[in-house]
Structure formats: structure tokens, C-alpha cells
Amino acid sequence: MNNPNLSAPVPDDQVSPSESSFADILLQFEQEHNSPRGQALQGVVIAISDESVFVDVGRKTEGVLPVVDFRAPDGTVTIQKGDKVLVTLGGTNSEGLYVLSTIRVERPKDWSALEAAFAGKLAIQGTVNELVKGGFRVDVGVPAFMPASRSGTRDQAEMEQLIGQQIQCKVIKLDTAEEDVVVDRRCILEEEEKAAKREAFAALQEGTVLKGKVRNLTDFGAFIDLGGIDGLLHVGDISWNRIGKPSDVLKTGDEVEVKILKINAGTHKVSLGMKQLTPEPWALAAEKFTQGDRVRGKVSRVADFGAFVELEPGVDGLIHVSEMSWSKKQIKPSEIVKPGDVVEVVVLSVNAADKRIALGLKQAVGDPWVEAEKNFAVGTIVEAPVTSLQSFGAFIELAEGIEGMIHIGDISREKRLTHPSEILKVGQKVKAQVLEMERGKRRIRLGMKQLEPTSSDEYIAEHKAGDVVSGRMVDVSGNRAKVELGDGVYCWCAIRREEKKAAAEERTAGDLSSLTAMLSQRWKSGGSKGSSGGEALRAGQICSFRIVSLDAAAKKIEIELVG
């Protein structure tokens, strides 16, 4: 339907010189400045290839159109170099060229054309005439209103730049009776953006390396703008080094080079990687690290089962808790090392295929048992804390990684124990003597009671070499006799040949009870009767002896018969 109140469009030949001059100036201004995406521009075809049409749109770089848009059914190209074409700007492709779209819409000429466009939801052309309250006045053949919210602009500056521009829009409200027309430009821009994204997505290929800009950071990764398409750079693909979160190494707005790892055509998701642009550190790990190497690294993480050490960027080794200390007591890795500590370790094994390197901390410190035989020789007296109690004895820590065991029978002389806890407790410092050392079995046997004073100790302390004392023959055998000098004090005495012969000829007399009484009496009185007294050398006989030497450390007494 025609509206008689609408004035007919002014023919081009009736445009005043001033209006023509203004239009030229406006066109020149638009060509020299970047225009909003979706703005209509007139371009000139400058080249045609088998796949693309290159168009000069008055920008620093050219734009590109798919040549298929200009092929006739018979396959011929319907456009030539030098032809003018009306296009809209999209994004840019990987080569930095503008992605263009051709405008194939016309301005409605009457109300019936508007009705057809409204019914078919078709795009039409219009010119933004002025900025009014709440939006814009747009000429689409008849005056129309475009709400600011549907203009595709984001701020006042963009709204002002839109005045005088030719746009594409759709009719979203039409009342011919009231001559009320409302148009929407934003839906056109959104459709173009979707088309541009589809086009850009179709151009992506796995393995391609391209540049993008960090658009957003999360705890699990970074979203990279690839020119209208967002790709996800997962935190694990940012660096071969272990990083806590993406914000540790990236910030919004950073321009980064990434590699397309995977494209999901169904979900339109793109997975990206940065670390893949550098060599895989583990590829050379087997050559750089071999069993037995002594290396230094920084503790990157501590867990209940051990600690991870960064040997070089991207290569971590594990110190298992069992390889942290020579001590047998249970330890926590956090008690030995902390994140950030620089430690020296020994490489125990390398499995580059599984990306595993086993490290040893205790091996770098050195095996304490190497010097144990020298430091804890038999007879050495030590003082150390009790580390644990068992029914059969107690363990004490002699040094880092070296424990000794005190058998329950070697704890005390005074009483018979049923459990070491009757006398000892964990943490208590005790003195003990090394009784046995077996380095091969990593075993040291100790004794506490051996340090307690004995009857021999007291006897040696009370006598000196040259003293004449009484003693009882306990056993006469061969060329020597075992002699009891006091209660629990025993020693050996050499027997001369003539003394042995006399002992063989004499007959044994007296009973054990009378000999015991006699021995007790002689110890008290100091009297003695030697072999010259007519008695034979025999078990139970009481004789006089001279002390030849005393050795307190060895608890040894040397004596001889008094003739």
C-alpha cells in the first residue's frame, strides 16, 4: 500500500552541490576510519582467484569474498576486476584480511514491500537519519524507529557514529494504519557474527599455529580469542612446568602464540596448547639423567607418600618417603623437606616412557652404616634415646639411620624383667655397651647391665697386685685351675708340673659342707694353706694365692699359688 503523505525519493540529478559535497566528505571519512562490524561499504574488486574475490574497501588491508558467491549455474564467474560491490565487514582471517559479506537487499519502495519484508523476516536497507529519544530515526522508504537496544551499538560514541550510515535491518513491528514501523539492526549483526564464526571455524585446522589474545582467565585455563572464535588453553597445556593457575603466567589482553590441538565440529570447541610449541623435556630425559647421577633440584610439591623435585622445566622426579631417611622410624615427608627447598639427590631409576624418575635423598647424604663399624666397635659405651620398646627388648637411636637393640636379658642385673617397659620408656636416654656389631646385617647388639658394677669390679677396686689372698679351687683341669676368690669372683690360675703330680697322688678327703665352712672361715681370717702344707690340689681345696695383675676394664685377675 502506498502512503500519499510520503515524499518521493529525490533523484540523484536533483541533489544540490552542497549535499553532494557533504556526501563525498562523509564517504571519505568512512573510508579512512574503521567502521563498526556490519556497516555497509562499497568496495572495488582488485583480484580474483579460484577460491576468493579480493576487494579494496578503503582500509589498510583488503577484504575477501568467496568466489562461489559469484558463480553462475554454468560455473562462470559473474564478477570482474574493477567491478564495484556493496559489502559489510566481518572479522579478519588468519592472513589478516577482512572477511566480507555481500549485501543482497534493497530498500523497500512502498508499504507492500515493507509488508512482504515483515512477513518473510527479510533483511532490508535503511539509512540512519538522526538520533532521537530512545533510539534512531531510520529511513527505510518510510520513516521508521530503531530502539537503541536493537541498534547493535554499545555506547554514546558508537550511536553518534551510526548517524548517516546505511544499514541492514529487519522489520519487527509494522502498523500500516498508524504508519508505525520499528526495525532491528542487532539481529542482522548477530546473524553475520554467527556466519563469520562458522566461516572462521571451518577455516581452522588441527596442528595450525596462530596468534590469539587472552580474553578470559579461569582456574582451569584461559580462553583465547582467535578472531571471533574462542579456544580453550587448558592449564596443563600452558607450560611444561607445573603451574598453579593460568594467572600465574598469563593476564587478560596478552597476545599469545598457540597451536590447535583438537577441533570438535559437533560442539564447536577448540582445544589449544602453548607448551606444544617447544620440545618435550622428557624426550631427552633418559640422556640427561642416568642411574647413580647426583643432581640438584627444587622441591615443587610435597605429598604424604613423598616429594616431587623439579630437575629441569617440565621434568619432575619423586623422592619416595622410604628414600628420605636411613632411620627406621616412621616419618612424614613434610618433616624433611618443604616446597621451594633446593635439595641434592641421587637418581635411582629413569623411566622416560612413563615420565618417571625415582630419586633418593638419603643416598645423597651417605649411608651411616659405612662408618658404623669404626664408630660403634665392640666394647664402645654409648648414650642414646630409646626409640621403641618391644617384648624382647628396646631399640635406641645411636645416630641418624642407625639403631641398636638391647635384649631384655641385658637390661638389668638386679631383677628378671617380663617387659622392658618395667624400667625403660620411649625417649629416655640410656647408657649401654656395644656387645656385638654386624654391619652386613645392619645390626648392633647392646647391653646395659654390662655397665653395672659386678663383684669382680668391687674385688679389683679393693685389691692391688702383690696382695696374698685365699681362694677355693673350683675346678682343676690340665695345666690350670679355676679359682673362686670371693662371692661371684672367679679367675684362672696356672699349675706347675710338680703341683699337678702331688694332686694326683693325694686322695680326696673331707666333705663339701666342711670345705665350704673352712673356705668361709679362711676368707674371714685371711689364713690359707698351700700345697706345701701337705694337702693335694683338688676341687674344693682352699689355697693361698698372690695377685699378679688386675685389669679393671677387662674385669681380669691374674694370680699364682703361694708355695
Side-chain angles (χ1 to χ4, degrees), residues 315-335:
V315 178
D316 279 9
L318 172 66
I319 310 173
H320 192 268
V321 63
S322 62
E323 305 297 343
M324 287 188 165
S325 172
W326 292 104
S327 176
K328 293 181 180 180
K329 66 182 180 181
Q330 190 173 5
I331 62 170
K332 292 182 179 179
S334 58
E335 296 174 349

Side-chain angles (χ1 to χ4, degrees), residues 353-427:
D354 293 336
K355 298 184 178 181
R356 292 180 179 177
I357 295 181
L359 305 173
L361 182 64
K362 68 183 184 182
Q363 290 82 356
V365 176
D367 187 352
W369 280 91
V370 173
E371 300 293 326
E373 204 164 24
K374 179 176 69 175
N375 297 334
F376 304 104
V378 173
T380 303
I381 297 174
V382 297
E383 185 174 8
V386 177
T387 56
S388 66
L389 297 174
Q390 306 294 334
S391 59
F392 55 84
F395 288 91
I396 67 173
E397 186 178 39
L398 301 177
E400 177 68 26
I402 297 182
E403 285 188 334
M405 192 271 287
I406 306 173
H407 190 272
I408 189 171
D410 290 316
I411 293 177
S412 175
R413 294 182 185 278
E414 295 182 0
K415 67 175 184 176
R416 185 180 183 85
L417 304 177
T418 57
H419 195 278
S421 59
E422 295 175 28
I423 291 180
L424 303 176
K425 61 182 179 180
V426 174

Side-chain angles (χ1 to χ4, degrees), residues 464-514:
K464 63 182 183 297
D467 287 354
V468 176
V469 296
S470 298
R472 181 174 67 88
M473 296 286 188
V474 176
D475 180 34
V476 179
S477 177
N479 295 327
R480 63 176 189 166
K482 184 178 182 181
V483 179
E484 182 180 19
L485 299 178
D487 187 14
V489 181
Y490 296 91
C491 63
W492 291 91
C493 177
I495 301 176
R496 293 189 296 274
R497 182 178 299 176
E498 56 273 18
E499 293 168 346
K500 181 177 179 182
K501 183 177 179 182
E505 293 175 352
E506 293 290 334
R507 64 184 173 82
T508 304
D511 56 30
L512 183 59
S513 58
S514 62

Side-chain angles (χ1 to χ4, degrees), residues 447-478:
M448 289 175 61
K449 74 178 185 180
Q450 286 75 7
L451 298 180
E452 296 175 1
T454 63
S455 299
S456 296
D457 294 327
E458 295 174 356
Y459 190 91
I460 291 172
E462 295 172 357
H463 294 81
K464 63 182 183 297
D467 287 354
V468 176
V469 296
S470 298
R472 181 174 67 88
M473 296 286 188
V474 176
D475 180 34
V476 179
S477 177

Side-chain angles (χ1 to χ4, degrees), residues 4-164:
N5 296 322
L6 292 175
S7 58
V10 179
D12 292 342
D13 57 359
Q14 296 182 18
V15 176
S16 65
S18 62
E19 291 174 332
S20 176
S21 175
F22 176 78
D24 292 341
I25 294 172
L26 181 61
L27 178 60
Q28 183 180 0
F29 176 82
E30 292 172 356
Q31 291 177 342
E32 292 176 353
H33 295 76
N34 289 331
S35 303
R37 181 179 292 182
Q39 176 183 324
L41 294 172
Q42 190 176 63
V44 179
V45 178
I46 57 174
I48 302 174
S49 70
D50 292 338
E51 297 180 352
S52 303
V53 175
F54 298 91
V55 182
D56 182 1
V57 291
R59 299 294 185 271
K60 292 181 179 179
T61 59
E62 292 74 32
V64 63
L65 287 165
V67 75
V68 69
D69 290 352
F70 301 95
R71 286 192 184 277
D74 61 355
T76 59
V77 179
T78 60
I79 196 169
Q80 297 179 358
K81 184 177 178 181
D83 285 355
K84 295 181 179 180
V85 59
L86 195 62
V87 296
T88 58
L89 291 180
T92 56
N93 61 16
S94 59
E95 298 176 353
L97 300 176
Y98 287 108
V99 178
L100 306 177
S101 300
T102 55
I103 298 178
R104 299 181 181 279
V105 296
E106 297 180 352
R107 184 190 300 270
K109 294 181 174 57
D110 52 27
W111 285 96
S112 60
L114 279 173
E115 288 177 331
F118 177 62
K121 298 182 179 179
L122 303 177
I124 61 174
Q125 283 189 16
T127 302
V128 180
N129 287 336
E130 60 178 326
L131 183 61
V132 297
K133 184 178 180 181
F136 301 86
R137 185 67 64 190
V138 182
D139 180 9
V140 292
V142 298
F145 174 71
M146 180 172 67
S149 62
R150 303 308 303 175
S151 67
T153 57
R154 291 170 292 184
D155 52 33
Q156 185 68 24
E158 286 189 2
M159 292 173 69
E160 292 176 356
Q161 287 182 3
L162 202 57
I163 299 172

